[in-house]
Amino acid sequence: MIAEVYIDIPANPVNKPFDYRIPEGLEEVVEPGMRVTVPFGRTRRLGFVTKLKNESSFKQLKTIDSVEDHHPVLTQELLELGDWLARTTLCTRVAAFQAMLPAAMKADYKKLIEVEQPDQLQASDPELASFLSKVKNPMWSEVVKHHPKLSNRMKRAISQGLLSIHQLVQNQARAKKVIHVSAAVSREQLENACAQMTARAIRQKEVLQFFVQQSDLSSFQLPLADLVNQGFSRDAVNKLEEKGLLHDEQVDHYRDPFLKKVEKTYPLDLTSEQSEALTPILESIEHEEHRVFLCHGVTGSGKTEIYLQSIQHVIAQSKQAIVLVPEISLTPQMVLRFKGRFGEQVAVMHSGLSRGEKYDEWRKIREGKVQVVVGARSAIFAPFKHLGLIIIDEEHESSYKQEDIPRYHARDVAIHRAKTHQCPVVLGSATPSLESFARAGKHVYTLLSLKKRVNQRPLPSVEIVDLREEMREGNHSVFSKILLEKIRDRLEKKEQTVLFLNRRGYSTFVMCRSCGTVVTCPHCDISLTYHRAQHLLKCHYCGYEQKMPDTCPTCASDAMRFFGTGTQKVEAELNRLLPEARVIRMDVDTTRKKGSHEHLLRQFGEEQADILLGTQMIAKGLDFPKVTLVGVLAADSLLHLPDFRASEKTFQLITQVSGRAGRHALPGEVVIQSYTPDHYAVIDAAHHDYEAFYQQEMELRHRAGYPPFYYLALISMTHPEPAKVAEAAERVASILNNNLSQSSQVYGPVVPAISKINDRYRYQCMVKYKREPALLPVLHKILQHFQESGKNNLQISIDLNPVVLM
Ligand SMILES: Nc1ncnc2c1ncn2[C@@H]1O[C@H](COP(=O)(O)OP(=O)(O)OP(=O)(O)O)[C@@H](O)[C@H]1O
Ligand SMILES: [Zn+2]
Ligand SMILES: [Zn+2]
């Protein structure tokens, strides 16, 4: 038997299956979707078996070393999905497979040093020889780390054939096992044994009595550690096992990040709008019919309840459901809503989990121990075998697009998988992406509308404040008079306020007031950001940091000043203006520690603070009854980004943030501060008017030839030398021009808004197209051409339907 194996090196030249012979004894074991270790070149690598066959066109085949998995880690469906992903996002097959598996399953390659010629080594480098003889299993990385001076001497010895390096492949994924103890015989037999024991065996008697007392003895078991913690003797347990009275076994332990008791919730009586939306979804589940629903519901309209009741239906059919939620709204609050309804049947996957925890959640899915997964983007690859429903909440969120290889969009993957499984997809949002709403307009998706909040609660009233006018009137604070007044009012009424500041565009940069010099990163074409806590300037792209200069590096004046507004600065100003207010600040700096996000939100929920001040991470999903005021400090900070989606993002953000106010009994108010109060994105958001925004934005996109009227492909190149990258970009542009049809347009090469990152110069080409069958093949050729001649240090990346254009 022969296996086709993809080697886990994500590079184009090896992006093809290699044939390996399956050794006797493994023929019954190896299946497609399993990982194997194989000899490859002079090393050993992990690989994925994709196919079995009887014959190979190659004569001399190497043999598989070992099999890593008991069961395939990739189902047949996921293997095919990998193929599709590789084709449509232009990545290697192995990169696609790796994206589908938890990180813990990546192989860990270790280099073991072996002495081949001990005598000769002793003669030529006695010091090295004696060092290596003392270390058991010397690992290259360890030796080099602790004795950097040895690395050159080892290299020399290797070239002389005195030493060799052996590649070890280690599987990092390990299930945690715990020992459980149970009775090995009947209650009667235990009682008899107990009666016959001598008085001196008191410790053993205690253990036996404990077991005899258990009412459900035949199924009773508990971790040995728990027994010992309760004061029983480990030694006594061992003796009883030797006597055949007790029994122990290794049980898989699942690290459960949500161990807390969850209060059970029950289905709510639906509003008429909710039932109207739910009915067609249930029909589609019932009839095993693939359809895509776009559930457009204003904030607080009860979309989540629709998701919950759809899932319930799926579980009743013994099928499974995937729920995607953007990483930043995957809060404990959100998770509890699903765990509350479905309890143990829910697995959760997000980046806050440790590697081990992620692996355990993944195993629960694969082993059929759960029916539902709630997770961020990559949960779309959950290895369920009988998918009955995929839900994507906040479907407009750009984080559903992966920026790294493979550059997939979770929505596309969802629709692809749902077609395979013949099940529905529900896309939900208060502010659908233009792409999705346009598809609903063309009846490609089925539109479900929820226009009212649950229980007739009104949407909050919104006021726009013109910040230019405030300036003219001499108010230089980040708070307009009216917003400050309203915050004071809430403090008096003991109600809560949420203040939102967009992180991007308004970070603090440092400028010289006398000559205009802005301090920029020496490696990237971008201004450095001031971090007050450490008094440092940092680059948000490459991590470079330097001390805040006392004088201007250009003119030496001491007029260096901070510009822009960060959350820290707003917090300081709040403390000055409203010293009595208790403020919680949530941004990347205060939420870095694991669990701190949850902790801060809980504090706010328990009303230990009056004001929650934060960035993007507070825009979504928060549902606190006492919040009656939301302030958007600078609504247009996103508008000026060089991105054709700037208006759409602004509209979405204002709508989402406003939606946090007045969701319960108390009515809500929103104040939007803006330098461009006349912009349609600001006005339409203030009026809760999605349709008006949609119409106007579609018209602009149509005129400019942007999505959803055209598709985009972005080809980016980088090189340490500007001339080299310019030359390559010219080549790419001409290949595109020569091979694509007339109806497609090629733009560039151009230098993007950020022209240098990490000492590498950047160039881009862009293709706009409607239907272009030649595109994928041409792009594929371009990738191959430049990657195979990759020695010259050029990096090229291709992003189809990019969400970030900078
Ligand atoms: N049928 C119902 N009867 C009573 N309360 C409901 C009903 N449906 C939902 N709710 C409650 O209304 C509130 C808002 O619902 P939910 O959070 O599901 O809205 P949403 O549309 O998901 O909002 P957002 O998009 O702002 O997150 C929740 O507290 C929820 O428990
Ligand atoms: Zn200066
Ligand atoms: Zn930098």
Side-chain angles (χ1 to χ4, degrees):
M1 281 279 264
I2 313 280
E4 290 191 356
V5 176
Y6 277 86
I7 307 296
D8 85 336
I9 303 173
N12 250 319
V14 293
N15 185 27
K16 60 184 174 213
F18 290 83
D19 287 355
Y20 282 90
R21 190 174 304 287
I22 303 176
E24 245 173 83
L26 285 184
E27 295 207 321
E28 301 283 295
V29 178
V30 176
E31 284 178 59
M34 285 182 175
R35 296 168 307 154
V36 290
T37 305
V38 293
F40 187 74
R42 299 200 337 245
T43 64
R44 299 208 173 294
R45 302 292 303 199
L46 203 68
F48 292 87
V49 176
T50 52
K51 217 172 126 183
L52 301 182
K53 55 191 186 185
N54 290 317
E55 274 164 41
S56 168
S57 49
F58 298 94
K59 286 246 164 51
Q60 297 232 306
L61 290 187
K62 291 184 180 170
T63 305
I64 289 176
D65 275 351
S66 59
V67 185
E68 300 299 322
D69 303 307
H70 299 297
H71 301 283
V73 291
L74 295 167
T75 59
Q76 194 58 39
E77 185 227 352
L78 291 179
L79 284 173
E80 278 159 28
L81 187 69
D83 184 27
W84 173 83
L85 207 58
R87 252 186 305 118
T88 54
T89 71
L90 294 156
C91 71
T92 62
R93 197 78 79 87
V94 159
F97 291 155
Q98 279 169 349
M100 296 182 192
L101 294 173
M105 298 184 78
K106 276 205 184 135
D108 195 7
Y109 291 99
K110 289 232 164 86
K111 289 178 180 165
L112 183 69
I113 305 165
E114 271 185 41
V115 181
E116 297 282 343
Q117 308 280 349
D119 298 342
Q120 289 183 33
L121 184 68
Q122 180 65 42
S124 74
D125 192 339
E127 201 189 336
L128 180 62
S130 93
F131 174 81
L132 289 176
S133 70
K134 277 187 233 136
V135 189
K136 207 164 126 199
N137 295 333
M139 294 289 174
W140 178 268
S141 56
E142 288 293 304
V143 174
V144 170
K145 193 165 136 204
H146 298 295
H147 308 275
K149 283 191 204 119
L150 288 182
S151 99
N152 273 334
R153 287 159 62 182
M154 287 193 300
K155 279 184 195 155
R156 192 170 339 116
I158 290 170
S159 69
Q160 293 165 345
L162 309 181
L163 289 182
S164 70
I165 295 289
H166 276 253
Q167 188 102 256
L168 289 184
V169 183
Q170 281 182 338
N171 199 350
Q172 300 180 52
R174 237 162 255 130
K176 204 170 150 192
K177 302 266 188 190
V178 283
I179 296 172
H180 278 215
V181 185
S182 56
V185 295
S186 73
R187 192 189 309 273
E188 246 187 336
Q189 285 167 295
L190 287 187
E191 278 167 344
N192 288 342
C194 194
Q196 286 166 15
M197 267 177 201
T198 62
R200 287 176 53 208
I202 176 141
R203 309 286 277 165
Q204 292 181 50
K205 279 186 159 184
E206 278 171 8
V207 177
L208 283 180
Q209 273 154 6
F210 171 78
F211 274 88
V212 168
Q213 277 164 22
Q214 303 304 324
S215 55
D216 49 348
L217 185 67
S218 57
S219 61
F220 178 78
Q221 57 169 1
L222 86 169
L224 174 60
D226 287 6
L227 262 181
V228 174
N229 281 342
Q230 289 177 36
F232 295 104
S233 141
R234 184 187 298 266
D235 202 40
V237 173
N238 286 342
K239 290 210 175 99
L240 292 167
E241 281 172 3
E242 280 164 23
K243 292 179 183 162
L245 297 169
L246 296 182
H247 171 76
D248 76 2
E249 80 187 306
Q250 299 246 338
V251 176
D252 267 5
H253 176 74
Y254 296 93
R255 287 152 274 214
D256 191 340
F258 289 92
L259 262 180
K260 276 159 272 156
K261 277 269 171 286
V262 179
E263 207 164 306
K264 183 141 180 62
T265 67
Y266 296 91
L268 301 169
D269 288 332
L270 297 184
T271 65
S272 59
E273 275 192 335
Q274 282 175 318
S275 332
E276 264 172 55
L278 182 64
T279 307
I281 300 174
L282 296 190
E283 276 171 13
S284 167
I285 294 169
E286 201 81 44
H287 299 149
E288 311 204 334
E289 172 194 36
H290 168 65
R291 281 172 80 183
V292 182
F293 296 98
L294 176 61
C295 182
H296 175 209
V298 298
T299 54
S301 57
K303 294 186 287 294
T304 313
E305 186 62 28
I306 298 177
Y307 305 156
L308 291 169
Q309 299 201 13
S310 313
I311 295 169
Q312 191 180 355
H313 212 76
V314 168
I315 295 179
Q317 291 207 334
S318 311
K319 292 193 171 181
Q320 296 113 23
I322 297 176
V323 184
L324 295 190
V325 179
E327 185 74 57
I328 47 172
S329 31
L330 201 52
T331 56
Q333 224 184 2
M334 190 70 176
V335 171
L336 285 182
R337 294 181 77 172
F338 289 86
K339 288 240 170 185
R341 196 65 60 87
F342 306 115
E344 304 262 285
Q345 290 171 297
V346 181
V348 179
M349 287 188 129
H350 65 87
S351 64
L353 303 183
S354 72
R355 268 180 174 222
E357 285 169 343
K358 276 187 210 158
Y359 175 59
D360 286 355
E361 295 295 295
W362 180 87
R363 272 192 314 141
K364 284 192 214 163
I365 299 169
R366 193 192 63 176
E367 290 162 10
K369 296 210 159 64
V370 294
Q371 312 304 319
V372 184
V373 60
V374 180
R377 183 179 58 222
S378 63
I380 195 57
F381 298 114
F384 282 132
K385 296 206 178 85
H386 306 286
L387 261 181
L389 174 66
I390 301 177
I391 292 166
I392 305 189
D393 191 29
E394 313 284 2
E395 70 90 29
H396 61 277
E397 262 292 304
S398 53
S399 63
Y400 285 128
K401 174 72 191 286
Q402 172 148 304
E403 293 300 327
D404 292 329
I405 296 170
R407 298 189 169 82
Y408 68 92
H409 198 297
R411 197 200 293 132
D412 301 332
V413 179
I415 294 173
H416 190 82
R417 289 196 76 183
K419 271 187 198 151
T420 314
H421 287 273
Q422 285 298 300
C423 76
V425 174
V426 178
L427 308 173
S429 176
T431 53
S433 63
L434 255 62
E435 281 90 340
S436 293
F437 205 72
R439 281 193 191 131
K442 290 184 165 175
H443 304 290
V444 180
Y445 300 165
T446 306
L447 185 65
L448 310 169
S449 290
L450 301 164
K451 296 193 158 46
K452 294 193 284 269
R453 279 185 160 183
V454 173
N455 291 346
Q456 314 297 329
R457 279 168 210 138
L459 284 164
S461 64
V462 181
E463 192 162 341
I464 302 176
V465 178
D466 187 342
L467 281 178
R468 295 166 307 181
E469 217 152 273
E470 293 282 321
M471 287 281 239
R472 254 175 259 138
E473 287 168 9
N475 178 6
H476 294 280
S477 148
V478 291
F479 299 106
S480 59
K481 280 199 299 284
I482 189 143
L483 179 56
L484 198 60
E485 226 165 74
K486 288 189 194 290
I487 300 176
R488 280 212 178 95
D489 173 62
R490 299 305 130 117
L491 285 175
E492 268 161 35
K493 290 202 243 164
K494 304 253 179 286
E495 292 173 8
Q496 290 180 301
T497 299
V498 167
L499 293 177
F500 174 78
L501 182 73
N502 185 33
R503 176 171 51 92
R504 302 245 297 279
Y506 264 80
S507 51
T508 33
F509 62 97
V510 175
M511 189 169 99
C512 168
R513 283 215 154 166
S514 71
C515 77
T517 293
V518 171
V519 185
T520 55
C521 175
H523 310 287
C524 308
D525 165 35
I526 194 118
S527 52
L528 295 175
T529 301
Y530 178 61
H531 283 242
R532 178 191 287 261
Q534 301 122 305
H535 197 55
L536 285 174
L537 295 176
K538 290 189 190 173
C539 171
H540 282 190
Y541 279 81
C542 73
Y544 167 86
E545 50 182 64
Q546 67 171 58
K547 278 235 270 318
M548 166 75 191
D550 298 327
T551 55
C552 171
T554 311
C555 74
S557 94
D558 57 3
M560 298 298 287
R561 293 289 181 276
F562 311 120
F563 284 81
T565 306
T567 42
Q568 298 175 0
K569 198 168 159 189
V570 175
E571 187 186 26
E573 190 151 340
L574 271 176
N575 289 338
R576 187 173 63 80
L577 293 169
L578 304 167
E580 73 278 23
R582 297 164 302 166
V583 181
I584 289 179
R585 191 183 101 219
M586 269 182 78
D587 56 24
V588 279
D589 292 323
T590 64
T591 55
R592 199 163 286 133
K593 262 210 299 271
K594 194 175 165 179
S596 53
H597 193 257
E598 176 182 1
H599 177 70
L600 292 175
L601 285 181
R602 185 160 6 96
Q603 277 189 320
F604 191 63
E606 289 167 358
E607 294 175 50
Q608 294 178 38
D610 309 297
I611 299 173
L612 178 63
L613 163 68
T615 56
Q616 256 84 342
M617 63 181 76
I618 64 166
K620 301 210 163 72
L622 302 190
D623 193 0
F624 295 117
K626 280 291 183 72
V627 174
T628 59
L629 175 64
V630 167
V632 181
L633 296 180
D636 22 26
S637 54
L638 275 177
L639 273 180
H640 308 297
L641 292 177
D643 178 350
F644 72 90
R645 288 194 178 88
S647 303
E648 187 181 0
K649 287 188 178 149
T650 302
F651 177 83
Q652 287 165 347
L653 210 53
I654 299 178
T655 306
Q656 295 291 349
V657 186
S658 309
R660 300 309 114 210
R663 293 166 70 88
H664 294 262
L666 300 166
E669 258 188 310
V670 178
V671 175
I672 297 175
Q673 305 190 142
S674 172
Y675 289 99
T676 45
D678 305 325
H679 195 285
Y680 63 97
V682 177
I683 293 177
D684 292 341
H687 292 160
H688 312 291
D689 196 344
Y690 178 83
E691 303 260 350
F693 172 77
Y694 174 78
Q695 297 302 346
Q696 177 135 14
E697 182 69 11
M698 284 293 271
E699 215 180 291
L700 291 174
R701 299 274 182 96
H702 185 68
R703 257 187 275 146
Y706 274 122
F709 296 95
Y710 286 84
Y711 294 107
L712 301 181
L714 186 68
I715 301 102
S716 309
M717 289 140 280
T718 71
H719 195 282
E721 290 170 52
K724 287 265 165 57
V725 61
E727 189 189 306
E730 287 293 347
R731 277 286 315 273
V732 168
S734 82
I735 297 174
L736 288 169
N737 273 316
N738 293 338
N739 288 281
L740 298 181
S741 63
Q742 287 294 312
S743 64
S744 301
Q745 293 150 43
V746 179
Y747 295 85
V750 294
V751 176
I754 301 164
S755 65
K756 184 174 83 167
I757 292 180
N758 245 329
D759 286 323
R760 300 183 66 92
Y761 291 86
R762 311 173 70 220
Y763 263 83
Q764 292 178 336
C765 293
M766 173 128 83
V767 182
K768 274 188 193 173
Y769 63 100
K770 264 194 192 302
R771 247 190 63 76
E772 183 53 82
L775 186 70
L776 283 181
V778 172
L779 291 178
H780 202 82
K781 246 197 250 151
I782 290 177
L783 265 187
Q784 264 181 338
H785 174 79
F786 283 98
Q787 285 181 345
E788 264 153 40
S789 61
K791 306 153 213 113
N792 64 8
N793 205 356
L794 183 89
Q795 280 174 8
I796 182 161
S797 71
I798 296 182
D799 193 353
L800 291 159
N801 307 314
V803 296
V804 176
L805 293 176
M806 294 189 295

